[in-house]
Amino acid sequence: MPLYVPKSINLTINEEQVKVIFKEQDTNGDGRLSKEELLKAFEKLGSRNPGWRVRRSLHHADVDRDGSISVDELEQLIKYAVKQGYCVN
């Protein structure tokens, strides 16, 4: 038996993997991520405070300020999430 067994292993994910996680959360298939869908995505990414992260991500990526992330804004959202250092536990 090993002397040290880590509780979890953090694996850094790349932009493509983050993109897949966000796209999976578009549950209604309208091509936009609502606040609720963003909340689920940040929960899946392991955010400690996903509600706050949704507000910050909208501030950074929601260019037209309509309260959701469109296909055109998705790249900005992905860059923001990757910059925050999300990983999979």
Side-chain angles (χ1 to χ4, degrees):
M1 174 157 223
L3 295 174
Y4 172 73
V5 178
K7 289 184 180 180
S8 67
I9 298 173
N10 288 334
L11 301 172
T12 303
I13 55 178
N14 64 31
E15 287 187 17
E16 191 59 36
Q17 292 166 316
V18 172
K19 186 176 192 174
V20 168
I21 290 170
F22 281 122
K23 284 189 168 191
E24 286 175 349
Q25 301 312 311
D26 182 17
T27 53
N28 62 3
D30 66 352
R32 304 182 73 76
L33 291 170
S34 67
K35 290 178 182 177
E36 293 79 20
E37 292 167 334
L38 285 170
L39 184 74
K40 289 178 185 175
F42 280 109
E43 286 172 349
K44 189 168 184 174
L45 286 168
S47 176
R48 289 187 202 147
N49 192 341
W52 183 83
R53 190 57 65 195
V54 167
R55 290 188 299 278
R56 296 304 303 155
S57 66
L58 286 170
H59 174 76
H60 286 280
D62 185 18
V63 177
D64 60 9
R65 301 291 182 230
D66 65 349
S68 64
I69 300 296
S70 67
V71 174
D72 297 332
E73 298 164 332
L74 187 59
E75 288 304 315
Q76 282 298 109
L77 175 64
I78 292 165
K79 287 178 184 176
Y80 171 75
V82 169
K83 183 179 176 183
Q84 300 309 309
Y86 280 102
C87 58
V88 176
N89 291 325

